[in-house]
Amino acid sequence: MGDWCRVMPQDWNKYVNHEVRVSAQDKQQYEGWVFTVDPVSASVVLVAFQESGGASVRVVLGHAVREVQVLREADGDTEKKLRSLLTPAGCQVFSD
Amino acid sequence: TIPASSGNKAGSVTLEEEQRVRSELRERFLRTLLAMTSKPVHFSLYEKVQVQAKFGASDIDILNFQVSDLQTPLGVQKEALLRCQDMISFSFQL
């Protein structure tokens, strides 16, 4: 998917909070929940929650992304967990 | 760098919506970089090269990362710039 860098932000947004498998240029595959896709570099931020309570974050650079496959749809709990993981406490949402 | 919207053929409502989504996605990405500051980060580069370093900062276009204590097969580099074009992915723990 050499076109990953050229899609509209709305298309990247469709992957946010979903569990995906990203195939990268080195034939590596990475799985995790999508926290975001950087609209400048098209890099995908994947989060994998660990049993210990921590999380491992992997960023696949946009230029190296070949394919993104959705494994599981977003759910409310994961969405909340993702948001609280990287958004500072006390951060207010002013618009939807 | 990926250019911003090429035009507003579909009207200003669509453009506004695009800008809103773009800013949300970008904010989340910047928060990721912020969370990575001063943490050990593992970089997967081309040709199966793996290096580890402490992340310092990035430029706005995500072209270069400033890192410290870069552990290379030839020794430890106190300060270094990594070109993002050379990376496939990078990871860190939260």
Side-chain angles (χ1 to χ4, degrees), chain A residues 31-58:
Chain A
E31 289 180 15
W33 298 90
V34 178
F35 178 63
T36 190
V37 180
D38 176 35
V40 176
S41 64
S43 304
V44 188
V45 179
L46 299 173
V47 175
F49 295 104
Q50 287 155 349
E51 282 173 27
S52 55
S56 143
V57 181
R58 179 170 293 274

Side-chain angles (χ1 to χ4, degrees), chain B residues 8-9 12 28 32 34 37 41 47 67-68 71 91:
Chain B
N8 65 352
K9 282 169 249 156
S12 60
R28 282 179 164 229
T32 308
L34 207 58
T37 313
V41 179
E47 306 300 332
V67 299
S68 308
Q71 291 164 37
S91 64

Side-chain angles (χ1 to χ4, degrees), chain B residues 21-64:
Chain B
V21 172
R22 197 182 283 277
S23 67
E24 244 169 57
L25 292 170
R26 183 65 168 169
E27 183 189 341
R28 282 179 164 229
F29 187 71
L30 294 179
R31 291 210 182 279
T32 308
L33 292 185
L34 207 58
M36 197 161 83
T37 313
S38 303
K39 285 202 174 68
V41 179
H42 191 272
F43 296 92
S44 299
L45 312 179
Y46 282 95
E47 306 300 332
K48 295 191 166 71
V49 178
Q50 311 271 344
V51 291
Q52 198 176 303
K54 200 174 81 184
F55 177 75
S58 165
D59 50 18
I60 55 166
D61 299 321
I62 323 295
L63 295 176
N64 299 286

